[in-house]
């Protein structure tokens, strides 16, 4: 996320795990489409594949 007040990108946040806080790395992705050109289901499939490859980058070279 981009903090417009400080001008810094923030890619981590704290979440409770087993009673203590753990830092998690996150990335936010948004896709803007025009339904007249691209079907929403195709865009959804693209985002699912994008998420898969971002979580498993080794699969990009296999």
């Amino acid at each position: 996320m981009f903090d417009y007040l400080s001008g810094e990108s923030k890619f981590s946040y704290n979440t409770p795990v087993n009673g203590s806080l753990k830092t998690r790395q996150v990335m936010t992705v948004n896709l803007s489409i025009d339904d007249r050109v691209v079907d929403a289901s195709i865009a959804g499939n693209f985002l699912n594949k994008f998420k898969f490859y971002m979580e498993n980058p080794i699969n990009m070279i296999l």
Side-chain angles (χ1 to χ4, degrees), residues 1-18:
M1 293 172 35
F2 187 76
D3 185 3
Y4 290 99
L5 296 177
S6 67
E8 296 178 1
S9 296
K10 297 180 180 180
F11 295 104
S12 63
Y13 66 97
N14 293 325
T15 58
V17 176
N18 297 331

Side-chain angles (χ1 to χ4, degrees), residues 24-60:
R24 306 271 182 184
Q25 296 296 319
V26 296
M27 180 174 137
T28 303
V29 175
N30 295 316
L31 178 65
S32 177
I33 63 164
D34 184 355
D35 279 331
R36 295 174 292 182
V37 179
V38 177
D39 189 28
S41 65
I42 294 172
N45 289 339
F46 170 78
L47 285 177
N48 284 334
K49 288 291 185 182
F50 182 80
K51 178 184 176 211
F52 173 76
Y53 285 120
M54 290 295 106
E55 291 176 346
N56 307 298
I58 193 71
N59 289 328
M60 285 190 259

